[in-house]
Amino acid sequence: MVNFRWCSLALLALRAVSVFAQEETFGDDSTAAPIPQPELKADIETTFPDADIFGVKLVNGKVTKALIDITNHEDGPIQVAFVGGALKTTRPLPEDAPVYTQIVRNLTATRFQIEIPAGEKQTLPYSFVLDMMPQDVVVELLGVITNPAGEVFEIQLHNGTASIVEAPTSIFDPQIIFLYLFLTGVFGATLYFVYKTWIEALFPQAVKKTKAPKVKKVEVSEPLSGSESAGATSGGEKNFDESWIPSHHLNRPVARRVKSGAKAKKGGDQ
């Protein structure tokens, strides 16, 4: 069997041989007997699950998936080495333009090393991611397959137009919300800096007049003498609660007048 580590070189060699063969065919006018070329007995169909009624759309930043169905009609097993491809332009090119000028972007080659038994069908997934300008392109997928005799074939798995489009955006996307908040903050900070630097200087603020504190006049009464203060205290109203004062403190003893001893004796002699 073929060593798979040389598959990539085999694909490049086959593409180069096909280009040179085309140039020789167009440049040679002599009639030559066609050389029979071996054919791979297999049915190949490629579909894109995410395609809609408008065709295949390649969304930037999103994985594009392709499903390759291969049915083996050979007498023995066939082996799929790897699958690759390229995006080509849809614009017409001059007749003398090289073939490689049609290529807009090469697609990543995926190595499979899968053996498909005779009479069986197998589906191979192939995916790629793009980040390009929106445009219409031709998607060409190629595969390297070997038959039971060990012959290597470069098979065109798909060749069709597709549209490269941008991913749809939503206002509820966290990245969009964060971007809006960041831009709003930057814009507000810029306006505040401009106002404080230039605009505020053009409109000086008026000086606020401060009012003098009011001084309260306190009337100071003249102190009363001892008798006046006692009379005022006894004659005035009581400004305290007597319920909590013991009764023996409230009933003060009344002072009695006592006659002196000399007058008492004198009265006794009489």
Side-chain angles (χ1 to χ4, degrees):
M1 301 304 294
V2 179
N3 192 345
F4 287 103
R5 66 180 182 180
W6 302 103
C7 290
S8 58
L9 297 177
L11 178 60
L12 295 176
L14 287 174
R15 294 180 67 89
V17 169
S18 61
V19 171
F20 288 122
Q22 290 179 2
E23 294 181 355
E24 292 179 0
T25 303
F26 289 118
D28 190 5
D29 296 335
S30 61
T31 58
I35 301 175
Q37 298 291 335
E39 295 182 359
L40 180 66
K41 298 179 181 179
D43 293 336
I44 300 174
E45 182 181 2
T46 302
T47 57
F48 291 84
D50 297 333
D52 52 16
I53 58 176
F54 299 103
V56 180
K57 291 184 179 180
L58 310 179
V59 183
N60 284 328
K62 184 179 179 181
V63 178
T64 302
K65 298 180 181 179
L67 299 179
I68 305 171
D69 298 329
I70 302 177
T71 304
N72 183 14
H73 297 296
E74 294 281 350
D75 297 334
I78 61 175
Q79 291 187 351
V80 181
F82 67 91
V83 176
L87 302 180
K88 296 183 178 181
T89 181
T90 57
R91 295 176 298 178
L93 297 177
E95 296 181 357
D96 57 347
V99 178
Y100 64 85
T101 57
Q102 299 178 354
I103 299 176
V104 178
R105 178 71 59 86
N106 289 320
L107 300 179
T108 304
T110 303
R111 189 173 182 178
F112 286 99
Q113 298 184 2
I114 293 178
E115 185 178 276
I116 303 176
E120 293 188 5
K121 177 182 178 181
Q122 193 162 353
T123 301
L124 306 179
Y126 177 74
S127 59
F128 55 91
V129 182
L130 296 177
D131 188 8
M132 299 174 57
M133 294 293 295
Q135 57 183 307
D136 293 335
V137 293
V138 176
V139 181
E140 182 182 17
L141 300 181
L142 301 173
V144 174
I145 305 175
T146 59
N147 61 4
E151 298 173 334
V152 181
F153 297 88
E154 180 191 7
I155 306 298
Q156 188 180 63
L157 306 177
H158 178 76
N159 187 22
T161 59
S163 299
I164 300 177
V165 297
E166 294 290 347
T169 57
S170 174
I171 59 174
F172 300 104
D173 188 359
Q175 295 181 353
I176 300 298
I177 294 175
F178 177 78
L179 178 62
Y180 286 160
L181 294 177
F182 177 77
L183 294 179
T184 303
V186 172
F187 182 72
T190 304
L191 290 181
Y192 180 78
F193 176 78
V194 172
Y195 174 77
K196 284 293 185 181
T197 306
W198 292 288
I199 299 178
E200 188 178 17
L202 300 177
F203 302 96
Q205 297 181 355
V207 180
K208 295 182 180 179
K209 296 181 180 180
T210 57
K211 296 181 179 180
K214 295 182 179 180
V215 179
K216 295 183 179 180
K217 296 181 179 180
V218 180
E219 297 181 358
V220 180
S221 59
E222 295 181 358
L224 302 176
S225 60
S227 60
E228 293 177 351
S229 61
T233 304
S234 61
E237 296 180 356
K238 298 178 180 181
N239 297 326
F240 57 90
D241 187 9
E242 297 181 354
S243 61
W244 61 276
I245 302 176
S247 60
H248 64 274
H249 287 287
L250 293 176
N251 300 325
R252 296 180 180 180
V254 180
R256 297 179 180 180
R257 292 182 181 182
V258 180
K259 295 181 179 181
S260 62
K263 291 182 177 182
K265 291 180 179 180
K266 186 176 180 180
D269 294 337
Q270 292 179 355

